[in-house]
Amino acid sequence: DHEEKHIVPDVTLEQKQEIMFSEDFRKFFDKASRVIERALAEDDRGIDIFVDYKGENLESLE
Amino acid sequence: DEADIGETLNRIKTHKGVVGIIVLTQDGVVLKSTLDDETASSYGLLVHDLVRRSRLGIRDFDPSNDLSFLRIRTKKHEIMVAPDRDYLLIVIQNPNS
């Protein structure tokens, strides 16, 4: 059922540490942080798809 | 180790407009975050739900496909998600800052 309410499991601090020490997590984190940093670097170049060229506020077109 | 993770999160946080970063498990558990616990877990729930629905939709459309990145722009902020099978890296940005 798509609408079922998700219950977040209880995880202790120790269990979280254990996850973060795992090889599996390291691989994920290295890759994911690289992708995120690349996306942020693009943003830092100042390219904003909503930039206001014509004096219109494109973010409130409703 | 964990210091490396913290260092990377701090570096990400220095980018313009970054409000917070959350590392989430696929179950929606917050492993680490730069936000307070309450804010982190409510963003966590929101993103967990968005990712789950997006993934379902993409796979319904083409079972050989999968979600590789999710980026949502709203009036108030932008959310970036780098997902894999077990974990999610989430960045919340305020693009107007």
Side-chain angles (χ1 to χ4, degrees):
Chain A
D1 179 13
H2 287 206
E3 300 312 316
E4 207 176 298
K5 194 94 186 109
H6 178 73
I7 309 287
V8 177
D10 278 325
V11 176
T12 65
L13 204 62
E14 288 71 28
Q15 288 171 310
K16 289 184 187 183
Q17 300 280 7
E18 210 173 295
I19 292 171
M20 287 190 283
F21 280 128
S22 71
E23 182 63 24
D24 201 40
F25 179 83
R26 312 253 32 140
K27 276 189 191 153
F28 150 77
F29 190 77
D30 282 350
K31 196 176 159 201
S33 59
R34 232 175 302 142
V35 173
I36 288 277
E37 285 200 271
R38 227 174 288 151
L40 288 168
E42 284 286 303
D43 290 356
D44 287 350
R45 285 166 56 202
I47 299 159
D48 184 346
I49 53 168
F50 283 107
V51 76
D52 185 7
Y53 289 118
K54 289 185 179 168
E56 295 161 352
N57 187 349
L58 296 178
E59 280 191 284
S60 55
L61 283 178
E62 74 264 54
Chain B
D1 59 351
E2 219 196 321
D4 293 334
I5 298 174
E7 202 180 294
T8 304
L9 295 188
N10 279 332
R11 196 171 58 234
I12 292 174
K13 228 184 135 185
T14 62
H15 285 272
K16 193 169 152 272
V18 172
V19 179
I21 309 149
I22 305 161
V23 183
L24 206 70
T25 70
Q26 213 57 262
D27 298 328
V29 174
V30 176
L31 286 178
K32 207 164 177 66
S33 121
T34 63
L35 297 160
D36 65 85
D37 288 354
E38 205 187 315
T39 313
S41 53
S42 42
Y43 270 120
L45 271 175
L46 168 68
V47 172
H48 176 265
D49 192 47
L50 288 171
V51 165
R52 191 181 56 86
R53 284 166 197 265
S54 307
R55 197 167 250 158
L56 276 172
I58 295 296
R59 285 182 180 164
D60 267 359
F61 183 69
D62 176 358
S64 70
N65 202 359
D66 198 6
L67 187 72
S68 45
F69 199 74
L70 183 73
R71 197 165 181 170
I72 290 182
R73 177 76 164 249
T74 71
K75 282 185 187 172
K76 293 184 180 171
H77 48 234
E78 178 157 22
I79 302 174
M80 284 201 258
V81 189
D84 88 342
R85 204 185 65 244
D86 301 309
Y87 314 103
L88 312 168
L89 181 60
I90 303 159
V91 172
I92 317 290
Q93 276 179 289
N94 174 1
N96 308 312
S97 73

